[in-house]
Amino acid sequence: MVSQEERRRQLAREKFLRQQQRRTAARRKARTRNAVIASVLGVVLVGSVGLYATGVLKDDGDDKANTNAEASPSATSKAPDPCEKPAEGKAATATWKKEPTMTIDKSAKYTMRLDTTCGAIDIDLKASAAPHTVNSFSFLAGKGYFDHTKCHRLTTNGIYVLQCGDPTGQGTGGPGYTIPDENLKDKSLKDNVYPAGTVAMANTGQKNSGGSQFFLVYQDSPLPPSYTPFGTVSEAGMKVLKKIAGAGESTGAGDGAPNATVVIDKATVTKS
């Protein structure tokens, strides 16, 4: 005969096991959903568009890589939130069936301004080298697609990027269409390194799978040249990125949501 106390303990154990199973299943689902770039160290980094995202963690063991790792913001950093409260409003939910018609002037100069809760980030866009990408961003910004969206991912170990552009804030969203890879032989990409200040497209790991998600590099990052570089952050914008990175990320493992409340209140693309 099982006593009431023994039965209570048995039920508690069963409840605990069910919770563990649910958590394991959730983690497995999250890894499948967010896996974006295979890590050469076997470290999986999160991100995606319905798997959009990107990031390779590379450590070749040389002094330069070790120095970068030591200089990066601590993965366990729990610094106070350096950012302001987001403006009122909700992220867009609209999607489109196909890439927008080309409307930009490839010979003109374009800039993108991200007015974020952490400060303004100005970006010089490479219209002639990445016209499909810049045209898509001009279209989406004009539709208010990026407004009120969270920058959902910060990496602080191996690669050093802030990832944005997903209205869901989960790394799974996109505009409903994809754009082709461009400018993969940009002269700034040397020795499989995306230099600090680069703005590039996230993707699923497949060719021509970019959507709306993009990443901003705040420290030189070893990555294969598979992610369309389409802009360069201004000096003032780099200070904002450093502030965000300095607050660390949520997991303590070097790849998670920023501790800083990074929300794009307004994104604007301007021809000059």
Side-chain angles (χ1 to χ4, degrees):
M1 184 75 175
V2 178
S3 70
Q4 184 175 359
E5 179 62 18
E6 289 174 333
R7 178 58 177 163
R8 186 187 66 79
R9 291 178 180 177
Q10 181 180 357
L11 291 174
R13 283 195 299 270
E14 291 174 352
K15 180 179 180 180
F16 175 76
L17 287 173
R18 287 195 300 271
Q19 290 174 335
Q20 291 297 99
Q21 290 169 349
R22 285 196 295 268
R23 289 171 182 170
T24 299
R27 285 195 295 268
R28 185 181 298 114
K29 182 179 180 181
R31 284 196 298 269
T32 302
R33 179 195 68 201
N34 293 332
V36 290
I37 305 178
S39 167
V40 296
L41 287 182
V43 178
V44 177
L45 300 180
V46 296
S48 59
V49 279
L51 283 176
Y52 271 14
T54 176
V56 172
L57 180 58
K58 178 182 180 182
D59 182 357
D60 57 12
D62 63 15
D63 291 339
K64 181 177 179 180
N66 291 334
T67 299
N68 284 343
E70 292 170 2
S72 68
S74 170
T76 59
S77 172
K78 295 296 181 182
D81 189 341
C83 302
E84 303 295 330
K85 291 184 178 180
E88 291 187 7
K90 295 182 179 180
T93 58
T95 58
W96 295 266
K97 293 183 178 180
K98 60 181 181 179
E99 178 185 356
T101 302
M102 184 69 65
T103 59
I104 66 164
D105 179 355
K106 299 177 186 179
S107 63
K109 180 178 179 180
Y110 289 84
T111 57
M112 180 164 65
R113 183 180 181 89
L114 304 177
D115 288 307
T116 81
T117 49
C118 308
I121 301 174
D122 291 311
I123 301 165
D124 289 328
L125 299 176
K126 301 182 178 185
S128 62
H132 287 271
T133 307
V134 174
N135 185 68
S136 177
F137 271 76
S138 178
F139 170 80
L140 292 173
K143 296 293 186 180
Y145 183 85
F146 299 110
D147 300 351
H148 310 297
T149 61
K150 292 181 179 180
C151 292
H152 60 278
R153 180 187 181 199
L154 179 72
T155 62
T156 61
N157 184 15
I159 66 170
Y160 310 94
V161 306
L162 174 69
Q163 189 166 321
C164 312
D166 173 18
T168 73
Q170 301 296 319
T172 60
Y177 62 83
T178 58
I179 54 179
D181 297 333
E182 299 179 290
N183 198 32
L184 299 182
K185 295 184 179 180
D186 191 282
K187 61 183 180 181
S188 69
L189 306 182
K190 298 178 180 179
D191 301 321
N192 286 351
V193 172
Y194 279 59
T198 301
V199 182
M201 288 301 296
N203 60 45
T204 65
Q206 302 298 315
K207 291 183 178 180
N208 306 318
S209 62
S212 62
Q213 293 189 42
F214 61 99
F215 61 93
L216 305 99
V217 182
Y218 63 88
Q219 182 175 313
D220 290 2
S221 296
L223 286 165
S226 304
Y227 313 102
T228 298
F230 68 97
T232 304
V233 179
S234 68
E235 183 176 349
M238 286 300 296
K239 292 180 180 179
V240 175
L241 287 178
K242 290 286 188 178
K243 177 172 69 173
I244 294 167
E249 55 80 35
S250 62
T251 69
D255 186 359
N259 287 332
T261 304
V262 194
V263 176
I264 299 173
D265 288 329
K266 182 69 176 177
T268 309
V269 173
T270 304
K271 178 183 176 182
S272 58

